């Protein structure tokens, strides 16, 4: 259930009593983008990067993103200064008539939803996580690669592949057997002093935490590389880490029959990411 | 604008005053399917095939489709016995919490929207249509191929490629340069006495009118084949036809620099499809 700390859990186009139009193109076609971010005491974490990415993702599909001022006003109305919670921002192209052609004049719809911080098991932080390898592949679409858009059926089908609560995430490969990411996380493999993460020019979502890890890796004397690798290479890594904006970074302890010992990098990255 | 012949233009879960939940997974992820059909004097055309396809498409992504009785009741409330109009049926997985995993118990959302029959130019029927060749490709995703699901950003990007009203549709190719379909239509190429339409096992939407043409082709002494072909082969066809549930079939008169003479098959198919 949504948080009941506050009377309102969502705001639509700045209206706490707003409704979603049945003609919204987000509903009709997934014609929009989204972001998920942690809000601490009323302040959205990494807001400059989050907003900049929202603008870029909107732009990639021809939507003019609502202003940062409007979105900050929405957040201020939903979140209280004494809570840690999650904001999901959805921007769609707004209403449209039937058919794929956008209307000549569009009015983007913005929706901000508040939900409680997930109650992640301590073990994910202290021990690490076990991953499934998804059968569902990510399709190659360079025009949409990297973008956090609303066409997410592949992620859903992949996430539906396991129920075992001991499995925290699923690795998704592309059609060429390259590792791309997890269903809701980016992935890094460390080989010696080099941290490698897959290129997301063909598919996948380029998360903000992925970029932040690329940016701070040098502080751990780690080099970084963005390049394709397959599952076999991933399983031969010295260490594997997954990341997203809510939990920071977790160490991967097992994938299929491969197990890794506990290592200190994920915790160190988490600490660095929270600064 | 939507038709104003009737007070209500949509019905949500059987409720003429219903609203779309901001937590609907159709909006969040395009987690659903849809159909577009012509409704003549209150009766949805090709209803058995349309409903059967809706059930199959829902099933392909793990949604239990609402009953035909419920949907017929929705249609009866929206459409009057003296009009020809369009029904769009959207079925989503319903509300969900944040995250790709569907809730343990789901309640699918059904939305039926009424809109007026498009005012197609006479020339599309009497002369034929000119097609653009889209730069946007369809991605290869066998788990979603053929399904009329709500992840349609590729079709939107393709449709946004032209504004010229003299261009009626756009041909979409896959990543291997095979012709797949148009943005909102299936496509047939005739070579002598054989009608060929692309395989949709890798991407594309398998429309009902496509299947009906495959079923009735023999009445025109035409053989049928489902196989891949590229743009060059399409341009060498004796005749090209596009089809969907609203207009039936149109002859293609030009693609790029290639032009075809006026031929009788499209009109004959239209007549046969309306029986």
């Amino acid at each position: 259930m949504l948080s009941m700390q506050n009377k309102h859990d969502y705001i639509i186009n700045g209206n706490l009593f707003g409704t979603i139009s049945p003609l919204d193109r987000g509903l009709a076609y997934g014609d929009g983008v989204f972001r998920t971010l942690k809000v601490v005491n009323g302040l959205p974490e990494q807001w400059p990067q989050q907003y900049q990415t929202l603008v870029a993702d909107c732009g990639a599909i021809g939507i003019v993103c609502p202003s940062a001022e409007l979105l900050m006003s929405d957040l201020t109305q939903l979140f209280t200064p004494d809570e840690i919670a999650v904001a999901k921002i959805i921007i769609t192209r707004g209403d449209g008539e039937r058919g794929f052609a956008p209307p000549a004049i569009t009015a983007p719809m913005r929706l901000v939803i508040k939900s409680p911080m997930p109650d992640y098991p301590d073990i994910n932080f202290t021990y690490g996580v076990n991953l499934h390898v998804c059968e569902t592949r990510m399709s190659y679409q360079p025009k949409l690669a990297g973008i956090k858009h609303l066409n997410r059926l592949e992620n859903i089908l992949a996430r539906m592949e396991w129920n075992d609560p001991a499995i925290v995430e699923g690795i998704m490969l592309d059609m060429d057997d390259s590792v791309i990411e997890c269903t809701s996380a980016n992935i890094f493999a460390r080989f010696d002093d080099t941290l490698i993460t897959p290129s997301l020019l063909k598919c996948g979502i380029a998360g903000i935490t992925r970029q932040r890890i690329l940016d701070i890796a040098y502080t751990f004397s780690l080099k970084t590389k963005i390049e394709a690798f397959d599952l076999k290479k991933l399983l031969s890594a010295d260490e594997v880490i997954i990341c997203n904006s809510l939990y920071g970074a977790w160490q991967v302890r097992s994938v299929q029959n491969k197990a890794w010992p506990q290592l200190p990098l994920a915790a160190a990255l988490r600490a660095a990411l929270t600064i």
Side-chain angles (χ1 to χ4, degrees), chain A residues 173 176-179 191 227-236:
Chain A
L173 313 176
D176 299 324
D177 299 328
S178 291
V179 170
F191 296 87
E227 72 177 22
F229 54 83
D230 63 10
L231 186 62
K232 192 175 162 199
K233 177 154 183 188
L234 180 80
L235 299 183
S236 74

Side-chain angles (χ1 to χ4, degrees), chain A residues 188-197 217 221-227 237-239 265:
Chain A
F188 285 87
R190 182 180 64 77
F191 296 87
D192 260 326
D193 65 348
T194 303
L195 210 47
I196 307 183
T197 194
S221 303
L222 290 168
K223 298 172 203 153
T224 61
K225 256 204 246 180
I226 296 176
E227 72 177 22
D238 296 317
E239 190 168 3
L265 183 58

Side-chain angles (χ1 to χ4, degrees), chain A residues 23-71:
Chain A
L23 305 183
D24 192 277
R25 289 173 58 98
L27 176 63
Y29 305 127
D31 191 7
V33 302
F34 72 108
R35 301 226 62 82
T36 303
L37 43 133
K38 194 168 161 184
V39 180
V40 178
N41 301 332
L43 296 174
E45 287 197 342
Q46 310 302 321
W47 180 239
Q49 291 100 311
Q50 291 280 8
Y51 183 69
Q52 185 184 320
T53 310
L54 194 65
V55 171
D57 284 0
C58 279
I61 57 172
I63 294 175
V64 178
C65 187
S67 74
E69 289 79 5
L70 284 175
L71 288 166

Side-chain angles (χ1 to χ4, degrees), chain A residues 163-211:
Chain A
N163 283 315
D164 181 353
I167 303 289
V168 168
E169 257 291 9
I171 297 173
M172 297 188 72
L173 313 176
D174 70 6
M175 301 289 171
D176 299 324
D177 299 328
S178 291
V179 170
I180 299 297
E181 61 192 12
C182 291
T183 67
S184 304
N186 287 118
I187 193 163
F188 285 87
R190 182 180 64 77
F191 296 87
D192 260 326
D193 65 348
T194 303
L195 210 47
I196 307 183
T197 194
S199 161
L200 303 177
L201 296 176
K202 291 173 139 197
C203 47
I205 300 177
I208 280 173
T209 308
R210 169 179 177 272
Q211 186 57 51

Side-chain angles (χ1 to χ4, degrees), chain A residues 21-192:
Chain A
S21 163
L23 305 183
D24 192 277
R25 289 173 58 98
L27 176 63
Y29 305 127
D31 191 7
V33 302
F34 72 108
R35 301 226 62 82
T36 303
L37 43 133
K38 194 168 161 184
V39 180
V40 178
N41 301 332
L43 296 174
E45 287 197 342
Q46 310 302 321
W47 180 239
Q49 291 100 311
Q50 291 280 8
Y51 183 69
Q52 185 184 320
T53 310
L54 194 65
V55 171
D57 284 0
C58 279
I61 57 172
I63 294 175
V64 178
C65 187
S67 74
E69 289 79 5
L70 284 175
L71 288 166
M72 273 305 295
S73 158
D74 293 345
L75 291 165
T76 304
Q77 290 185 71
L78 277 189
F79 292 82
T80 58
D82 57 353
E83 64 181 349
I84 297 178
V86 178
K88 179 167 179 176
I89 300 175
I90 293 178
I91 309 290
T92 76
R93 206 181 304 270
D95 273 19
E97 301 178 38
R98 215 181 42 71
F100 294 123
I105 298 169
T106 57
M109 188 280 289
R110 68 183 200 277
L111 163 66
V112 183
I113 301 171
K114 173 165 108 173
S115 50
M117 263 301 281
D119 192 15
Y120 295 121
D122 283 346
I123 199 175
N124 295 7
F125 297 89
T126 55
Y127 174 86
V129 296
N130 307 308
L131 307 189
H132 165 74
V133 178
C134 299
E135 190 203 299
T136 305
R137 301 293 180 103
M138 308 203 89
S139 59
Y140 167 45
Q141 178 48 271
K143 290 207 171 192
L144 294 171
I147 302 171
K148 207 171 172 100
H149 56 67
L150 300 178
N151 278 201
R152 299 265 73 106
L153 273 170
E154 288 179 348
N155 303 64
I156 291 169
L157 293 181
R159 183 59 191 82
M160 286 168 75
E161 290 182 24
W162 79 94
N163 283 315
D164 181 353
I167 303 289
V168 168
E169 257 291 9
I171 297 173
M172 297 188 72
L173 313 176
D174 70 6
M175 301 289 171
D176 299 324
D177 299 328
S178 291
V179 170
I180 299 297
E181 61 192 12
C182 291
T183 67
S184 304
N186 287 118
I187 193 163
F188 285 87
R190 182 180 64 77
F191 296 87
D192 260 326

